[in-house]
Structures are given as C-alpha cells and as structure tokens.
Amino acid sequence: MSQKTKVIEKEEVVIRFSGDSGDGMQLTGTQFSDTSALFGNDVATFPDYPAEIRAPQGTVGGVSGFQLHFGQMEVNTPGDFADVLVAMNPAALKANLKWVKPSGTIIVNEDSFTDKNLEKAGYDSNPLDDENLSDYNLIKARVTSLTKECLKDTELDQKSILRSKNMFTLGMVYWMFDRPLEHTEEFIEKKFKKYPLVVEGNKMVLRAGYNFARTIEALPYNFSVAPAKIKKGIYRNVTGNKATAWGLIAVAEKAGLELFCGSYPITPATEILQELAARKDLGVKTFQAEDEIAGICTSIGASFAGNFAVTTTSGPGLALKTEAAGLAVMTELPLVIVNVQRGGPSTGLPTKTEQSDLMQAIHGRSGECPMPVIAASTPSNCFEYAYSAGKIALEHMTPVILLTDGFIANGAEPWRIPKMADLSPIEVPFAKEGDNYQPYARDTEKLARKWAVPGTKGLEHRIGGLEKMDITGTVSYVPENHQVMTDIRSERIRRVANFIPDVPVKGNDDAEVLVVGWGGTYGHLTTAVRELQAEGKSIALAHFHYIFPLPKNTKEVLQRHKKVIVCELNEGQFAEYLRAGFQDVKFNQYNKLQGLPFTVLELKERFNQLLEEK
Amino acid sequence: MTDTILKSHSPVNLTPKDFKSDQEVRWCPGCGDHGVLNSVQKAMAAMNIPKEKFAVISGIGCSSRFPYYMDTYGFHTIHGRAAAVASGVKSANPDLEIIQVSGDGDALAIGGNHFIHAIRRNIDMTILLFNNEIYGLTKGQYSPTSKQGMVTKTSPFGTIEQPFQPAELALGAQSKFYARSIDTNIKLTTELILAGAKHKGTSIIEVLQNCVIYNDGAHTLITDKETKDDFQLILHHGERMIFGKNRNKGLVLGGNGKLIVVTIGEFGITEQDILVHDAHNPDPHMAWLLSNMSAPEYPVALGVIRDVAALSYEEKMVQQIKDVQAVSSIKCMDDLLNSGDTWEVK
Ligand SMILES: Cc1ncc(C[n+]2csc(CCOP(=O)(O)OP(=O)(O)O)c2C)c(N)n1
Ligand code: SF4
Ligand SMILES: [Mg+2]
C-alpha cells in the first residue's frame, strides 16, 4: 500500500493510545487491535481508564489509555512498555511517558500543548521543547488543525469535527504499521449508519492521517509484523467479562436449565450483568437487585426453584454476600458466585486490578463453610472456567466461587470460538417424582444431595440455615450430628479434587526454580518464564486455576523443585495458603500492590536473582 | 394466582390437615402464631392448588419457623432476606404460589430494604407480616414497630425511637395490596390470605400478633371482648366504614383532610354520611389515612385496605423475554458465539 524506504521486521509491537476521557482512545485502540487480529497477529489488549466518568478535562487523573500488544508469535500480555505512544494532550504524555521504551516513538497532538493544558497537566514548561524527549522519535502533529482543515468544506458542525480527530491518529498509526483501512472504514459505516455526513467525515480524516504520516515520513522505516502461527478455526475478540457471561449461559444451555443472575452493579464486574441482561433472546433472567445481599439471595431462591443461578460482584460486594453464601453452603444448593477482583480494601482502587480477595474467597464466611474456589487466568479462558464453575456447582450441589480480576475482565484477546457440542456434558442430580425423597441423602461418589425442585409432586420438603439431621434434613441440635454434617460438608468439597485436572507444569521436572502463580497473572508469568527458558535458564511454571480444592498432583509438583517462588498481586495470600498445606516446602514470594499487573521485566529480574542464589 | 389455580387444575380436594407437617409446633403456648398457622392452612386448602405448587419462605424469628410446620416446599432462610429469596423463587418459577413469612424485625429492620423493593417491583407473592412489636426469638428487644417509650431489654428506660407504621412504608413503596388482620380472628385472616393470594403482585398481610412472653397485650384494645368492637373497623370494599358494639360509629372525612369518628344519630349524622370503602382506588391517600389510624383515638382498620390491579414483575419479565426472542436471530449459544465480528484462520 505504501512505498517506504526501509522495512523493519518486528516480532511484536506494543502501542499505547492515550488522551483525555473524551478523546475516543478506547475506540481507537479497539480498532487497531481488531484490524491486527484480522491481519492474523496474536493480540492482547488492556484498557486503562479513570474511575471518574468525567474526571476534570486535561488533567492527569482524567487520562484514558488503551494498550495493545500484537505479534507474530504467541502474545500473552498487553506488554510492559510501549514501542509507540500516542498522546492526545500534555496530561496523557505526562501520565504515560514512563511506559515508553527507550528510543520509542511518541506521537503528540501538538495543538493541545497550550499554556492552559500544560498547566492543567502540571508542566512548568513545554516538554516538547525539552531535551528529555530527544531520546525518542518524537512526532509532533497538529492533529486538531489538520482535522479541521480536512473537514472545512463539509457541513459537519464543529463538535463532530473535533470528535473525529482520533481517526487522524489512527490513520497515522495504520500507515506506520502498514495496516489496511478497510476494517475501520466498515466499522465507521456501520456505527454511524444514520449519519452519512459523519461517516464521510470520519473516513476522510482517517485517510488524511494515513497520508499525512506518509508525507512527513513519520518513520524513516516501515514496521512489519507478520501473521502469527495460530491454530486454525473461527476467531473473535473477547473480554474476560464477556467470556464469563457467555460461559455461564453455556452452562445453562448444556444443563438444560434456565439461567438466573441476581446482581448489583459494581466495577469491574458490571459488564457481566450487562452482557447477561442483553441476552433475553437466550432466555436469561437478570435481576438487578437492591444490593449485593439481595443479589445473592434472589439467586439462592432461584436455585432452590430449579434455575442455574449465579451472582456477580467485586470484592466489597463479595463481603456483603458472605452470610448468604453460608446459607447456600448449608442448604447445599448450586450457585456460582463470580468475584472480579479489584484493588482493596474498602472502595480501594475500583478500576485497578489486584488478587487480594483470595483469602476472602476461601475462608471469608462464618462457621466451617467450605466451597470450591477456582480462578480464570486470561480474558478468553474466563469462558472455560465459568463453565467449569457451573458444572461443579450443579453436579456437586454446591456454591462455587469463580475469581477473575480487573485485568483479565477488561482485557481482550482473540479467542478460538468453541462449539457447544465439544463442551463436556453436565449431569444434574435431580430428584424425580415418585422418589422416596430425603433432602440430605447423598450419592456415594460425590456426596451430593439430590435437587428436588418445587412444583414436583410428592417431593415437598423444607431446607434452611439451621443445622439439619443427616439424611432426613429435619432441624437437629444433636451434638454428634453437627460433627457428622461438618465432616460431610468438608469431605464433599475435598472430593471435587477427583473431578479436576492436574496442575500443568511448563518446563522440566528437574528445573531449579518453580514459579507458582494463579489467576490473572498467567500472561506475565508465562512470558517471563518462556523468555528465561529461551535463554537456557532452569525454570518452570505451575499456574493454578483450581485453588480449593487443589489439584491432586500439587504436592508432588511443589516438592520436586529446588526453589519455589509464588508470585501474586497481593501480600502473599496464596503463598500463605500453600504454606498451611505443604509445610515442608519453602516458599519464596514476589508480590506487588500497585493496582497494576506485573511487568515481564521485573519478574525476570526477580527470577534471575533467585536462580543465582545458592 | 387464584385464577390460574381455579382454571388450570382439576379440583385437588385438600384439607387443612394435608398442610400440616410432621414437625412438632414449638411456639409458646398462647402465642398468636398458632392462630396464623391455622388460618394459613385453612386458606391454602381453600385455594384449590396442588400442594407441590406452594413455596413457603421465611426469614429468622419466632414467626419465621413457619415453613417447618407446613407440608409444602419450604425455605427457612436468613434474617431479613426472605423477601429477596422469595423474589428469586418466583422469578425462577412463576408457576409457584409464594407465601413469604416475616416478623416485624425481619421485614422492617434488617430486611427493610428487601421488603420495600419487593413491593416496588410488585413480585407476585403474599407476605405475611407478623407484627408483635417486639423481637421474640432473641427474647424481648424493641423492634421498629415497638411503641415509643416501651420498656424492653434493650430499652430499660423506654425506647426513644419513633415506630414505623408498616403500611406507611409499604404505601411509600407503592404497595398495591395491603390488608390487616389480628391473630385471634382466624376467619378474617383466612379470608385475607385468600384475597392476597388472588391478587397479582405483592400482597402484604399485616397480622397483629400477640407475643405472650415478651409483649403480652400489645393489641388488647382490639382483642379484648369488651373493647374490640369499638376499636376495630373491618373494611369491606363497597361498604360503609361503620363499626362499634352498637354499629353506630363511622368515619367521615373532615375539611382538614383528616378522618373523623362520628356517631350515627348524633348531630344529624345519618348512615348516608359515612364513607364507603373503595379498596380499588388507585390513589393511595385514603389507604394511608385508614392504615394510619390507631386506638384509642380511632378504630384500627382491619380487612383489605388496598387492592389495586397492576401487572406483576414476573409477568413483565416473561413477556419481555418472549418479545425479544421473537425478533432476535440468536436462538442458541452457538449462534451467539458466532455472532458479530469473527474471522477465520486457515
Ligand atoms: C444476621 C443476624 N442478625 C441477628 C440475628 C438475631 N435475630 C434473630 S431473630 C431476630 C429478631 C426477631 O424478631 P422478629 O423479626 O420481629 O420476629 P419474631 O421473633 O418477633 O417473630 C434477631 C435480632 C440473626 N439471626 N441473624
Ligand atoms: S416468644 Fe413470643 S413470639 Fe416467640 S413463640 Fe413465644 S410467644 Fe410467640
Ligand atoms: Mg417480632
């Protein structure tokens, strides 16, 4: 498409689009990643936006960012540092400069570097005149004026003209990476179908940006990133939250049940409720409750009444659901509780990621109150683990906690679309009309009781939060019975371990260092370990998805390596949990609490240090 | 639900005894709850609904032990959350007939939020609110309905809190059905439960209930043989608001917008001057005036105070799903998975 002097092949590239909340950076980033995915690259993305919807314009607090990483090999993270930063205003430059690689490219909208905006961003002088940026390939483009110039002969109003300036920068970046414009053009046509003027305007600006970059030779060379070697199949992009919602719907369809979700909006879990609410066509019932307590309680009611019931939340909401979660354990009703973790405690960092609800998930209830805890680790495998959570809940008649986090919930990646026929079957232990029903009689394998759905003739029975007599289910205060029931509640959750896969280990059995992780840190851990292995280092990774109970091979895996290091975005909750279970293993730790994911760089540094230790 | 009940099932011929479970009833002898249990079992037998279609759902409290004494599907949940659990049960399975049981603490203190939101949504269920103006199960602390000044274990010098009038709360949440009974009047309670079950949407039946142990005599004026006729007005839709031992007292609306108790025959008042009860009036103003009357200044209003038709939550929910399904091209999960932007890697 373009004639450039020099072509540089790159394995992978990281681009960060940033600007004011209203600058359309999320859309710009999504367009670039979709186009790259269509081109055949592997892609991972992460949006980073302020907690305030309308944070003060032009300030660092109001900067909205979108980072994407694409490559011709497997891409597992949105990347630590950017090859290209797009900064639509001084605040965006200020907030993001530290994330640009040395000698990376920075595209700024020069028009926005006014005295007023510089002041709002907290700059004393204009950084564009500064020596500090001389190490970068700085491209100053008058994006606002050029956009206005491009559209001056159209009948578009000033506001619409200004709004389309993100297309100019997108056009520029498309040229730099030799990407076709068709996908975005089609997208514009679809999105603004009702406003032909806007369609035309946006397309003109997109092309103007593209041609501008060519004219000024924005780069002395052309980057090219070849398509990745990806498994054959039909793909789509998916965020973790969408994949979670879809995984839950898939459970209901597979089990032949209706899906009910009682929930209360909370960042970063809200999109799951929204996605489910949009799926009335698949019969999904969503109930936006008055609070998280009602969210889980309506779901427990729905479960009692025979629906596949779920409730979705984030940390503070999980705290509110605590008492009712105990009721679900006591009544042994199937239920999936999704907790999309965010920075805590209290309101904490609502839009930022963390893994600090692990102990709350495992232990945070009154009484001896075990329930399975499992964790997804990438945006797309939220589908798989939501499915697994639902299958365990229904087949074992128990509430299950599914942990995800803000990073994978909002992050997106291409996903090879599964076929419903390929998903494992779900067998629900219903009691049937004519059964001699006893609420707490159990099967011998899973120790699951039977589910007698109201409306079924002859199975009338009462359940509740009071301790129940073994088998018959009548209220019982008999001391020995409480021991028996406590033991059963514990044992039946332990037996879930008989139905889950072993934890896989990437690397050799005799690797000196075993990296242990769980949940959403997978991308960074796997990249760091893979890169060190490529350098010949003796290192392996065991990444856990099944937290409670742990996979059966856990002990063997932990014991066979000389050094074990547990990495997590909290103060060491998983490490502490493993210590309690495996007292003869010495666990090193790497932890971070900044509301941010790990960087591959810092992980490699830490692992190298551990490898060198005697 | 009574419509569907009467139409869609062949006669089921159940008696109150069929609704008794094998569990020994553990309430204190003389507790008002016994009478309500009786009334509920009578009403259920009269509804002509198969037993398996009932779900009795309660919170925590003396009154909330209710489900264990009923041979139906039952769920004794946690303190305050019965309305939320019941909302989920009904949404999941709209065919069920839901009786939700709560005490004044359960529904109005810890569960106040769920109580008002269930009413606002108008989920089809009958909520029996056992109002004994005390926390019974925890042995005698004041509740949100305890009269100001009342001495209890947690108010040894008298409460300084203003009590809720439950009806006021319900009407504020746009309640469409509000009725009130007294535990000792089994006939009236039975009638009201039937009317509540027939009403589509959330029906509140407040039962003035006596806790013989911790708040004995809370409702004496309307239970005592001597005084009760003078201090209770049993409302019937379309009938005049006449009460009194001699059936010569009535209510009229004063110029200041307040209700006034008058005596027929005095000051030229005739029967024609007495207000006629219109339970179906969409305007809640009169329901508010009636439900707020308290003895001894006024008679306490019993019977169906308000009964206004409206679509219920789950009817709208089911309809919306049908409407969306009729126009959507996504019929199953595979359709959804392959919808929107996809691409093929060859
Ligand atoms: C979370 C929680 N908090 C407190 C309690 C203790 N508790 C049980 S019943 C009750 C009050 C009961 O009063 P009410 O609802 O009026 O029912 P009654 O016993 O009078 O029928 C309280 C405070 C509890 N069971 N659970
Ligand atoms: S304590 Fe009061 S409310 Fe509870 S059972 Fe006894 S009399 Fe009834
Ligand atoms: Mg009470």
Side-chain angles (χ1 to χ4, degrees):
Chain A
M1 227 167 151
S2 62
Q3 294 91 44
K4 276 192 225 172
T5 36
K6 204 166 143 200
V7 174
I8 294 188
E9 282 243 349
K10 292 209 65 152
E11 291 249 299
E12 48 171 339
V13 170
V14 176
I15 306 181
R16 192 172 177 98
F17 293 94
S18 66
D20 215 53
S21 294
D23 282 340
M25 290 296 103
Q26 304 297 327
L27 187 147
T28 312
T30 311
Q31 280 305 305
F32 194 94
S33 61
D34 286 359
T35 295
S36 297
L38 280 172
F39 180 74
N41 295 131
D42 198 9
V43 186
T45 68
F46 187 65
D48 183 14
Y49 46 79
E52 294 78 18
I53 304 301
R54 293 272 176 268
Q57 244 192 347
T59 62
V60 171
V63 171
S64 162
F66 189 99
Q67 184 156 316
L68 68 105
H69 182 186
F70 59 105
Q72 58 185 42
M73 28 49 115
E74 194 182 324
V75 165
N76 297 105
T77 77
D80 292 356
F81 298 98
D83 297 282
V84 178
L85 171 70
V86 173
M88 294 299 278
N89 66 4
L93 180 64
K94 181 145 200 185
N96 291 300
L97 189 58
K98 60 175 180 287
W99 298 112
V100 184
K101 285 184 188 165
S103 77
T105 296
I106 301 176
I107 302 174
V108 295
N109 175 11
E110 202 181 353
D111 289 325
S112 69
F113 282 68
T114 60
D115 290 349
K116 203 169 132 206
N117 282 344
L118 288 167
E119 194 192 315
K120 275 196 214 160
Y123 277 119
D124 297 332
S125 62
N126 191 340
L128 301 185
D129 309 331
D130 213 317
E131 275 297 288
N132 278 343
L133 293 183
S134 60
D135 293 344
Y136 301 94
N137 171 33
L138 178 66
I139 302 173
K140 296 188 256 185
R142 296 194 158 278
V143 175
T144 313
S145 351
L146 289 166
T147 301
K148 281 190 193 160
E149 176 64 23
C150 167
L151 296 178
K152 70 172 191 296
D153 295 332
T154 65
E155 283 161 42
L156 279 171
D157 59 285
Q158 199 61 13
K159 206 165 142 198
S160 308
I161 290 177
L162 286 178
R163 268 218 199 116
S164 55
K165 65 177 187 293
N166 59 334
M167 287 297 133
F168 194 93
T169 33
L170 182 59
M172 285 180 71
V173 186
Y174 275 156
W175 179 81
M176 289 167 64
F177 295 96
D178 204 8
R179 301 273 120 142
L181 305 182
E182 283 80 17
H183 173 75
T184 296
E185 288 182 334
E186 275 167 31
F187 167 82
I188 293 170
E189 280 160 20
K190 238 192 260 166
K191 180 165 166 123
F192 301 111
K193 201 162 59 201
K194 293 205 188 105
Y195 312 97
L197 276 180
V198 178
V199 170
E200 221 20 65
N202 270 288
K203 282 163 72 176
M204 281 165 73
V205 176
L206 182 69
R207 267 174 266 138
Y210 189 91
N211 292 328
F212 172 78
R214 172 161 50 192
T215 313
I216 63 159
E217 295 233 343
L219 289 172
Y221 41 80
N222 180 2
F223 285 133
S224 99
V225 182
K229 280 176 215 75
I230 298 177
K231 204 169 165 191
K232 279 183 196 161
I234 311 283
Y235 282 75
R236 65 176 308 130
N237 267 329
V238 74
T239 64
N241 274 341
K242 186 178 252 190
T244 303
W246 287 12
L248 297 171
I249 307 174
V251 170
E253 184 174 302
K254 197 66 158 190
L257 299 174
E258 288 179 7
L259 175 60
F260 178 94
C261 176
S263 180
Y264 189 77
I266 181 169
T267 305
T270 309
E271 288 80 15
I272 305 176
L273 172 60
Q274 288 173 186
E275 183 61 32
L276 291 175
R279 293 277 68 92
K280 297 267 178 306
D281 46 13
L282 295 181
V284 178
K285 299 172 187 176
T286 49
F287 189 101
Q288 184 175 313
E290 51 273 22
D291 57 25
E292 279 85 352
I293 300 174
I296 186 170
C297 284
T298 50
S299 292
I300 290 173
S303 175
F304 174 61
N307 279 189
F308 169 50
V310 304
T311 184
T312 55
T313 193
S314 184
L318 185 64
L320 283 173
K321 293 179 194 294
T322 297
E323 190 200 7
L327 177 67
V329 167
M330 202 64 168
T331 52
E332 303 186 20
L333 285 170
L335 174 72
V336 173
I337 304 169
V338 180
N339 178 21
V340 185
Q341 300 167 96
R342 65 188 214 181
S346 187
T347 309
L349 303 169
T351 58
K352 305 293 174 192
T353 200
E354 211 162 275
Q355 296 184 298
S356 44
D357 293 341
L358 184 76
M359 285 301 190
Q360 183 182 208
I362 301 173
H363 295 301
R365 288 169 293 280
S366 67
E368 295 293 349
C369 196
M371 66 173 75
V373 177
I374 74 181
S377 65
T378 70
S380 66
N381 81 15
C382 285
F383 180 89
E384 186 183 334
Y385 289 99
Y387 190 85
S388 176
K391 181 173 158 76
I392 292 172
L394 290 167
E395 294 188 337
H396 294 258
M397 291 292 285
T398 177
V400 174
I401 292 189
L402 172 66
L403 294 174
T404 70
D405 61 55
F407 176 68
I408 60 172
N410 289 317
E413 62 183 359
W415 175 41
R416 191 162 168 274
I417 300 172
K419 292 192 181 65
M420 283 302 290
D422 295 340
L423 300 181
S424 53
I426 297 177
E427 275 147 39
V428 187
F430 284 123
K432 289 178 209 65
E433 198 174 319
D435 285 358
N436 175 24
Y437 184 63
Q438 296 195 292
Y440 284 84
R442 303 164 188 285
D443 80 302
T444 49
E445 199 187 18
K446 299 190 174 89
L447 299 180
R449 71 182 196 91
K450 284 223 154 80
W451 195 5
V453 174
T456 318
K457 198 176 160 87
L459 303 187
E460 294 85 355
H461 67 286
R462 275 67 54 194
I463 56 172
L466 284 171
E467 181 64 287
K468 297 295 186 292
M469 193 68 201
D470 187 19
I471 301 172
T472 64
T474 54
V475 176
S476 165
Y477 300 99
V478 175
E480 294 77 9
N481 179 67
H482 182 52
Q483 183 76 59
V484 166
M485 293 303 275
T486 304
D487 294 348
I488 290 175
R489 282 190 287 269
S490 166
E491 173 62 16
R492 67 190 214 89
I493 302 307
R494 291 191 183 282
R495 286 200 190 177
V496 171
N498 298 336
F499 299 85
I500 58 174
D502 278 353
V503 60
V505 179
K506 283 193 178 180
N508 295 335
D509 282 3
D510 60 354
E512 183 178 335
V513 166
L514 178 74
V515 175
V516 170
W518 66 275
T521 51
Y522 170 78
H524 294 89
L525 293 176
T526 200
T527 307
V529 169
R530 187 176 57 215
E531 289 182 13
L532 288 174
Q533 285 171 342
E535 293 167 21
K537 303 281 166 66
S538 179
I539 190 165
L541 171 68
H543 198 84
F544 287 81
H545 295 96
Y546 294 92
I547 307 287
F548 183 72
L550 286 163
K552 285 171 134 178
N553 66 333
T554 303
K555 185 170 180 184
E556 190 219 319
V557 168
L558 293 175
Q559 285 178 339
R560 76 179 172 216
H561 297 272
K562 209 166 133 203
K563 299 171 188 167
V564 178
I565 181 163
V566 185
C567 307
E568 44 187 334
L569 298 170
N570 59 39
E571 286 207 311
Q573 299 185 17
F574 193 51
E576 207 52 45
Y577 169 68
L578 291 176
R579 263 179 210 123
F582 308 96
Q583 289 169 8
D584 49 343
V585 179
K586 178 172 184 284
F587 294 95
N588 296 280
Q589 289 181 213
Y590 189 62
N591 307 98
K592 170 162 152 181
L593 282 135
Q594 302 179 4
L596 296 170
F598 286 127
T599 63
V600 171
L601 189 73
E602 69 194 1
L603 289 171
K604 284 170 73 180
E605 265 172 31
R606 179 69 180 92
F607 299 159
N608 274 326
Q609 191 194 340
L610 188 64
L611 281 160
E612 278 157 26
E613 272 171 28
K614 281 277 141 353
Chain B
M1 285 299 289
T2 313
D3 294 344
T4 48
I5 303 159
L6 296 178
K7 272 186 247 146
S8 63
H9 308 293
S10 48
V12 285
N13 294 327
L14 293 165
T15 65
K17 237 182 97 201
D18 292 312
F19 288 96
K20 289 191 167 68
S21 78
D22 57 359
Q23 296 298 297
E24 183 194 345
V25 179
R26 299 272 189 93
W27 290 311
C28 306
C31 173
D33 291 353
H34 296 280
V36 190
L37 180 63
N38 247 322
S39 312
V40 169
Q41 287 164 341
K42 278 200 163 130
M44 282 186 170
M47 283 182 211
N48 202 28
I49 303 180
K51 220 163 62 160
E52 66 271 15
K53 296 279 181 192
F54 285 103
V56 181
I57 295 154
S58 66
I60 298 290
C62 290
S63 40
S64 286
R65 289 300 174 94
F66 213 94
Y68 293 121
Y69 309 140
M70 301 289 304
D71 190 23
T72 62
Y73 284 95
F75 201 162
H76 179 224
T77 70
I78 46 179
H79 198 26
R81 319 301 173 196
V85 175
S87 298
V89 173
K90 186 68 183 180
S91 305
N93 187 349
D95 277 349
L96 297 173
E97 179 69 28
I98 312 283
I99 307 286
Q100 194 257 276
V101 174
S102 274
D104 42 326
D106 196 64
L108 306 179
I110 190 167
N113 203 22
H114 312 309
F115 179 73
I116 56 177
H117 286 281
I119 295 171
R120 176 180 67 80
R121 294 192 183 96
N122 204 29
I123 293 174
D124 188 20
M125 60 175 149
T126 304
I127 299 182
L128 298 180
L129 173 58
F130 288 61
N131 189 359
N132 56 9
E133 301 181 7
I134 194 82
Y135 287 178
L137 190 70
T138 44
K139 303 189 165 62
Q141 303 78 25
Y142 67 91
S143 91
T145 56
S146 298
K147 293 184 180 75
Q148 196 164 160
M150 188 170 145
V151 172
T152 71
K153 285 186 185 155
T154 46
S155 57
F157 308 106
T159 72
I160 52 171
E161 295 182 21
Q162 194 178 315
F164 268 143
Q165 175 58 263
E168 222 176 330
L169 203 63
L171 291 172
Q174 299 159 35
S175 170
K176 305 287 187 292
F177 185 103
Y178 200 93
R180 191 186 282 139
S181 188
I182 176 95
D183 52 8
T184 49
N185 193 340
I186 290 173
K187 185 168 163 283
L188 179 64
T189 310
T190 307
E191 274 172 32
L192 296 185
I193 293 166
L194 276 166
K198 190 168 166 188
H199 173 87
K200 272 229 173 255
T202 310
S203 315
I204 310 291
I205 300 170
E206 178 190 358
V207 184
L208 304 176
Q209 176 241 329
N210 195 37
C211 169
V212 277
I213 309 294
Y214 299 110
N215 196 13
D216 196 20
H219 312 293
T220 323
L221 280 182
I222 39 173
T223 48
D224 194 282
K225 269 210 178 72
E226 285 303 300
T227 53
K228 71 174 189 192
D229 290 332
D230 284 331
F231 292 105
Q232 66 178 33
L233 163 64
I234 301 184
L235 295 163
H236 296 282
H237 175 73
E239 290 181 17
R240 293 194 189 277
M241 303 181 190
I242 294 174
F243 66 101
K245 213 181 280 176
N246 306 318
R247 306 272 320 149
N248 63 342
K249 290 186 184 173
L251 293 176
V252 297
L253 197 57
N256 58 359
K258 286 188 169 177
L259 291 172
I260 303 173
V261 177
V262 295
T263 307
I264 298 167
E266 279 179 13
F267 306 109
I269 299 275
T270 68
E271 218 181 289
Q272 300 307 309
D273 297 317
I274 307 298
L275 289 167
V276 175
H277 182 47
D278 178 9
H280 307 325
N281 187 354
D283 184 323
H285 184 224
M286 181 56 72
W288 190 87
L289 290 176
L290 289 169
S291 56
N292 262 292
M293 297 190 302
S294 60
E297 194 192 345
Y298 287 104
V300 171
L302 304 179
V304 177
I305 296 171
R306 179 171 166 80
D307 181 0
V308 174
L311 280 179
S312 68
Y313 176 90
E314 67 289 346
E315 283 177 303
K316 289 188 270 187
M317 177 193 75
V318 168
Q319 190 57 48
Q320 193 173 56
I321 288 175
K322 273 191 198 147
D323 292 347
V324 175
Q325 285 179 333
V327 296
S328 174
S329 58
I330 292 167
K331 305 290 180 203
C332 64
M333 200 56 213
D334 280 321
D335 291 346
L336 178 61
L337 286 164
N338 290 286
S339 65
D341 278 346
T342 61
W343 67 92
E344 189 173 359
V345 173
K346 288 181 191 140

